[in-house]
Amino acid sequence: MSFGAELQESVGLLKLNTLSVSATAKYYMDVESLDDLRSALAWARENGHQTLVLGSGSNLVFAGDFNGLVIRVRIAARYWEQVDDTGATLVLGAGESWHEAVLYAAGSGYKGIENLALIPGTAGAAPVQNIGAYGVELCDTLISVTAWDRDSAQLVCLDNAECGFAYRDSLFKRSPGRYIITEIRLRLSRTKPLKLGYRDLEEYFGDAASQDLDALTVAEAVMAVRRRKLPDPEIIPNVGSFFKNPVVPAGKFEELQAMYPDVVGYPQAETVKLAAAWLIDQCGWKGFRNATVGVHNRQALVLINHSGGTGKDVLDLASEIRESVRERFGVALEMEPGIVGG
């Protein structure tokens, strides 16, 4: 089997996950093209090895070593298509930095993803989680995803509807391992209004009129707000929000509200999205630390690895938090990051 990139053995993954958890890949390969990807998958198949596709490692926990082939997708591409007076389509290779792409788009005068600034990870990982922040989700602008379908052994293009997006969910998350994203397309606008309704942004801008703001200014505001609340993974290892905001029936929210008048919830059609951070904080976890891991002192959703903790340390703490929330509020928390190994 011929490779365009080097196949490596026994590669440490400490620097390839934002939780800085120590783990080892039995085999490892960077892929920078579709041909590289096909070759890597063929090698793994012929040698009977499982595979793990990795971007920047910003949304997973290594519970142990990976006894197979880790494929790090580093496919680069960033260009515009279908440019007109109202907007343009931004094409991103799966290996592109998401945050850098946001700043590039906003700096070019295009709106739509500026509220998603400073979210770690790659463009190829963004659709898997349907990343979202400050009132915006990726699915709001995504046109299509190009991916290698391992079931059919061919490259496919899936439009927005086919991606099956939901809150922090997608077809790709529900079919783990089947699709390997190589490229995404986003339709961005020059004319649509900015989305500034989220409380943190309203407070940041105060009385400033939205027509006086541009996408880059909003991206910079989002960065400032996030930096106040969230730790930099390069300084304090973390994967961002560790738990999803749970969605409960309206009746359940009314029960909680009767017992806890300050409970934070966001009404939807027939359900209410609860603020997981509020639930965790009420259980006394914000700022908690044991010998190796803990909960950030400014954001209860963020678990941190402050002193060389293992994946098991992180997951044990997550289990304790989930159990305390379940016992007190009768609400189940779901973890956002994927679990690998162990």
Side-chain angles (χ1 to χ4, degrees):
M1 182 66 62
S2 174
F3 291 101
E6 181 185 1
L7 178 67
Q8 303 174 56
E9 295 186 44
S10 298
V11 174
L13 302 172
L14 180 70
K15 302 295 185 181
L16 297 179
N17 70 97
T18 61
L19 254 179
S20 292
V21 165
S22 181
T24 300
K26 186 173 184 179
Y27 300 100
Y28 175 91
M29 183 179 175
D30 284 324
V31 300
E32 299 181 356
S33 68
L34 180 58
D35 286 342
D36 281 351
L37 176 60
R38 287 170 172 157
S39 295
L41 292 172
W43 181 87
R45 183 174 60 252
E46 291 167 6
N47 290 277
H49 293 300
Q50 59 181 328
T51 58
L52 170 67
V53 178
L54 189 65
S56 63
S58 61
N59 196 45
L60 55 79
V61 179
F62 281 105
D65 294 335
F66 187 74
N67 191 32
L69 172 65
V70 170
I71 300 172
R72 189 178 183 201
V73 177
R74 306 189 72 177
I75 299 172
R78 190 175 72 185
Y79 58 93
W80 298 99
E81 288 182 340
Q82 301 174 321
V83 179
D84 57 39
D85 292 340
T86 62
T89 297
L90 178 60
V91 183
L92 297 171
E96 292 286 334
S97 160
W98 173 257
H99 174 62
E100 290 179 8
V102 169
L103 295 184
Y104 172 71
S108 300
Y110 292 97
K111 307 171 186 177
I113 56 175
E114 57 279 353
N115 293 41
L116 306 181
L118 213 60
I119 293 180
T122 59
V128 178
Q129 191 75 1
N130 185 24
I131 58 173
Y134 302 103
V136 172
E137 291 183 314
L138 181 75
C139 63
D140 299 336
T141 56
L142 187 134
I143 298 174
S144 65
V145 167
T146 303
W148 181 258
D149 182 351
R150 298 180 70 176
D151 283 4
S152 63
Q154 63 182 358
L155 201 63
V156 296
C157 182
L158 304 173
D159 65 23
N160 188 300
E162 291 172 313
C163 292
F165 289 122
Y167 171 63
R168 302 298 182 270
D169 197 16
S170 69
L171 167 70
F172 313 106
K173 192 170 184 179
R174 295 190 296 272
S175 304
R178 175 175 176 178
Y179 299 98
I180 302 176
I181 295 171
T182 60
E183 193 173 72
I184 67 173
R185 282 174 166 76
L186 308 170
R187 185 63 184 178
L188 305 181
S189 174
R190 285 193 177 277
T191 58
K192 289 183 178 178
L194 296 162
K195 292 192 176 181
L196 306 174
Y198 202 88
R199 184 180 62 186
D200 286 340
L201 294 181
E202 290 179 339
E203 292 176 354
Y204 184 93
F205 287 117
D207 295 331
S210 60
Q211 62 265 27
D212 296 330
L213 305 174
D214 58 21
L216 187 57
T217 302
V218 173
E220 291 169 343
V222 168
M223 291 162 61
V225 171
R226 288 181 69 92
R227 283 173 174 147
R228 282 203 305 264
K229 291 187 171 186
L230 302 172
D232 183 340
E234 293 187 5
I235 300 173
I236 303 176
N238 71 90
V239 292
S241 296
F242 205 91
F243 301 100
K244 295 181 182 180
N245 288 324
V247 177
V248 300
K252 173 63 176 178
F253 179 70
E254 291 171 2
E255 291 177 11
L256 289 172
Q257 206 169 32
M259 293 185 289
Y260 307 99
D262 296 333
V263 63
V264 180
Y266 307 96
Q268 300 175 315
E270 297 179 353
T271 60
V272 177
K273 184 188 296 183
L274 299 177
W278 186 89
L279 300 173
I280 296 167
D281 191 11
Q282 295 302 302
C283 291
W285 288 106
K286 186 190 286 188
F288 169 85
R289 285 193 178 201
N290 60 28
T292 57
V293 299
V295 180
H296 194 245
N297 59 9
R298 293 197 303 272
Q299 175 49 267
L301 278 180
V302 178
L303 273 56
I304 59 173
N305 183 10
H306 61 83
S307 296
T310 65
K312 183 179 183 302
D313 292 337
V314 175
L315 294 174
D316 285 349
L317 174 58
S319 293
E320 290 183 53
I321 292 171
R322 294 176 71 189
E323 181 60 21
S324 67
V325 169
R326 187 194 65 78
E327 286 185 356
R328 180 165 181 179
F329 299 106
V331 173
L333 292 182
E334 183 180 349
M335 294 190 297
E336 284 200 29
I339 312 302
V340 177

